[in-house]
Amino acid sequence: MTLPTEILQHLNEQLNRELYAQYLYLVMASYFYEKDLPGFGHFFLRQSKEEGEHAMRLFRYLMEKGASFQPLPIEIPPKNYESPLACFEMAYEYEKKVTLSYYNLLKKARDLGEYDVEEFLLWYIREQREEESLMQGWVARLRLANGEGPALLLLDREAAAYAQSEEEE
Ligand code: FEO
């Protein structure tokens, strides 16, 4: 069944949001590598890769539905952050924004009786729950560390271990 125009447009915008997340996390990875915190750098590199996979999943869905992919401009993400905490706070805020946009799309799909789209979107709803929780956890730990060197280095090591374990899954 052909996708309604507004759903198609929204799916293309979601794809763009995922590509922006991929780019944003790549920039955040560079921020940490350049600050000699390679654990956090690795963490964001891994998140960036995952966002790219989210975009590809949307792309494949469009193709499967015989729908049209609409290329949209990708904003340039900010590069400098006041602190590691500020960087994670921004990532957390972005995830919350993405979650809301999926909720809006899901509502639209339900209102229009687009059950196939609804089923497809549920995967993203679950994924967003995990990603929000992940970022929220790091924000909380970084607040506890209060920008202090030794605590920050420990968290950096923890972030590296997390990224490594996710890669091995
Ligand atoms: Fe795929 Fe974190 O949004």
Side-chain angles (χ1 to χ4, degrees):
M1 239 161 54
T2 321
L3 293 172
T5 313
E6 54 179 319
I7 295 276
L8 179 60
Q9 190 183 332
H10 206 145
L11 283 168
N12 271 294
E13 285 165 5
Q14 287 308 114
L15 205 162
N16 183 264
R17 286 188 183 97
E18 298 289 2
L19 288 176
Y20 176 76
Q22 180 181 28
Y23 203 15
L24 174 68
Y25 293 163
L26 190 65
V27 172
M28 287 178 170
S30 75
Y31 164 79
F32 282 111
Y33 280 120
E34 288 166 28
K35 268 190 139 353
D36 290 320
L37 290 166
F40 288 125
H42 189 180
F43 172 86
F44 275 107
L45 208 52
R46 155 93 200 115
Q47 292 307 115
S48 174
K49 193 170 158 240
E50 209 174 297
E51 298 299 351
E53 286 161 11
H54 297 171
M56 286 312 109
R57 186 180 271 259
L58 277 155
F59 180 80
R60 283 196 300 272
Y61 184 68
L62 289 176
M63 297 301 107
E64 199 183 336
K65 300 292 284 182
S68 172
F69 166 65
Q70 181 65 50
L72 297 168
I74 301 170
E75 238 180 273
I76 299 174
K79 162 93 196 199
N80 294 313
Y81 300 94
E82 212 175 278
S83 64
L85 172 61
C87 181
F88 270 90
E89 280 173 338
M90 174 168 272
Y92 180 37
E93 287 308 310
Y94 189 69
E95 290 299 340
K96 286 197 280 187
K97 201 170 136 185
V98 172
T99 301
L100 272 184
S101 63
Y102 276 113
Y103 287 172
N104 290 336
L105 178 52
L106 182 64
K107 185 176 182 321
K108 206 176 281 181
R110 277 191 182 161
D111 290 347
L112 294 172
E114 289 292 326
Y115 303 120
D116 186 69
V117 178
E118 178 178 339
E119 195 275 334
F120 170 73
L121 291 175
L122 292 178
W123 183 88
Y124 284 90
I125 302 290
R126 282 190 296 272
E127 187 68 17
Q128 282 309 118
R129 183 168 66 227
E130 279 176 24
E131 297 209 328
E132 271 194 34
S133 160
L134 178 69
M135 292 303 179
Q136 188 184 25
W138 280 107
V139 166
R141 287 195 289 281
L142 281 161
R143 279 196 186 131
L144 282 175
N146 204 19
E148 284 169 25
L152 198 60
L153 288 176
L154 267 178
L155 289 179
D156 184 62
R157 232 186 288 164
E158 198 189 314
Y162 172 84
Q164 186 71 35
S165 70
E166 285 294 296
E167 272 165 9
E168 284 163 7
E169 264 185 20

